[in-house]
Amino acid sequence: MKQTNHAPQPLWRRRLPGYAAMGAASLVLALGLHGLMNARTTVAGTALALTDADAATYGISAVYRLDENTYYVVGSQKGFQSDVEVGVTLGKDGTVQSVAILAQGETDNLGGQCVNPEFTAQYQGTAPFTLAGKSYTVTDPATGAVYAAAGSAETEAPAEDFDPSAWRAGDTSPEAEATRKMYEAGLTLSALHGEPMDNELIPPMDSSAEAVASRKLYQASLSKSAQDGEEQAKPFADWSAEKQAAYRLEQAELTTSGTGAETSSADLTEVDALTGATITSTAVTNVVNNSYFYVTEVLSAE
């Protein structure tokens, strides 16, 4: 009797059932992740129509009515190294009830700490908010009106009594020393305006060796601002032509922008910025404030 010859199966054929099982598992996992993502963005409220103009002006992407007196606004602002997306729950009068960080890609031990409840819980109560101890001005994105913390001008030292050596006394980096020299030489906006040195100085020109060295130090992460994850102010020559022209017009007092007439004092709620992550803190604060202005100026007016 002739013996049947059983040839061995190819390796790929023997592993085919395993491949199929792995594919099915991957599909289930992908569907599960998709469901989780949808669940994160699902809001138990009624989505309201958002015009392109309002979305651009207020920097928001979605708005929901949770009940007759409560809204949920989603917005985003540029952080240090990512767009920080924030969800803000507000009452009809603009009072902030809660803030949640929906997405961010900031530095883990710096700006990434914005997700902590200890930080976001500060944004509860009466808006708008300002960063405590930081140079931060609240600006209405629709009207351009500027709000400064009540009494802040009284707590600042007069410019004529300001000693540049006292600015960031613990910072002995070449960048800080160059900034102090630029202030003394009248090459910074704060010096030109008769103001004390600010944490974010924008020199009106960059032809000096100090300004060139400052940029190189920052780019090489050798400056304190770079190491702290803070943005370095751009020198005047790096501005766009439009911004340079606007600055020259303002210096010649041919415009009303930047004048004291546009600034009004207000009792702003202060928020402690994340240590070493002012840019991220500012991004979150801007979303919260813009959501406040959108609710009080657009939704409450309907």
Side-chain angles (χ1 to χ4, degrees):
M1 186 168 68
K2 188 175 180 180
Q3 187 176 7
T4 303
N5 183 23
H6 295 283
Q9 289 183 325
L11 180 61
W12 68 269
R13 186 180 294 275
R14 295 201 305 271
R15 292 185 176 178
L16 186 59
Y19 290 148
M22 291 175 60
S26 298
L27 179 60
V28 170
L29 178 60
L31 291 174
L33 289 175
H34 181 71
L36 287 175
M37 292 177 65
N38 283 342
R40 184 183 67 84
T41 57
T42 298
V43 178
T46 303
L48 303 181
L50 179 64
T51 67
D52 293 339
D54 284 343
T57 299
Y58 294 94
I60 59 180
S61 57
V63 58
Y64 302 84
R65 177 180 283 112
L66 303 184
D67 55 46
E68 186 178 352
N69 297 308
T70 311
Y71 298 98
Y72 180 76
V73 181
V74 178
S76 64
Q77 290 283 325
K78 180 65 179 176
F80 178 64
Q81 60 184 19
S82 71
D83 289 332
V84 181
E85 187 179 31
V86 184
V88 187
T89 304
L90 310 95
K92 194 172 184 178
D93 61 352
T95 300
V96 177
Q97 298 180 4
S98 66
V99 170
I101 308 301
L102 304 180
Q104 57 87 24
E106 303 292 83
T107 308
D108 288 342
N109 60 342
L110 293 171
Q113 299 300 308
C114 66
V115 301
N116 292 341
E118 292 80 3
F119 176 68
T120 57
Q122 297 182 95
Y123 297 98
Q124 291 185 2
T126 305
F129 294 86
T130 187
L131 298 181
K134 301 292 181 181
S135 176
Y136 180 88
T137 303
V138 176
T139 303
D140 187 323
T143 66
V146 178
Y147 302 88
S152 60
E154 300 175 0
T155 61
E156 293 180 350
E160 58 269 23
D161 297 334
F162 184 78
D163 181 7
S165 64
W167 179 76
R168 290 186 177 179
D171 185 358
T172 58
S173 66
E175 181 192 38
E177 293 296 335
T179 303
R180 296 185 187 101
K181 291 179 180 179
M182 292 172 69
Y183 181 90
E184 291 175 339
L187 297 178
T188 65
L189 283 179
S190 53
L192 290 173
H193 292 168
E195 300 170 348
M197 294 178 71
D198 191 277
N199 285 337
E200 296 180 4
L201 294 170
I202 305 177
M205 58 186 69
D206 73 334
S207 58
S208 65
E210 291 88 352
V212 175
S214 176
R215 291 199 304 276
K216 290 182 178 179
L217 285 168
Y218 184 86
Q219 292 170 353
S221 296
L222 296 177
S223 67
K224 189 173 186 299
S225 56
Q227 293 171 359
D228 287 348
E230 299 176 353
E231 186 177 11
Q232 183 187 34
K234 291 185 177 180
F236 180 70
D238 290 343
W239 291 356
S240 65
E242 293 82 1
K243 191 172 181 180
Q244 289 188 32
Y247 171 78
R248 291 192 176 100
L249 287 171
E250 182 180 334
Q251 291 301 108
E253 298 183 353
L254 297 176
T255 66
T256 58
S257 62
T259 64
E262 288 188 357
T263 305
S264 60
S265 295
D267 292 326
L268 303 177
T269 305
E270 291 190 337
V271 173
D272 290 325
L274 294 165
T275 302
T278 304
I279 296 176
T280 306
S281 304
T282 300
V284 177
T285 306
N286 285 341
V287 174
V288 175
N289 286 341
N290 289 354
S291 300
Y292 159 78
F293 285 116
Y294 178 74
V295 168
T296 57
E297 294 175 348
V298 179
L299 297 183
S300 296
E302 294 178 349

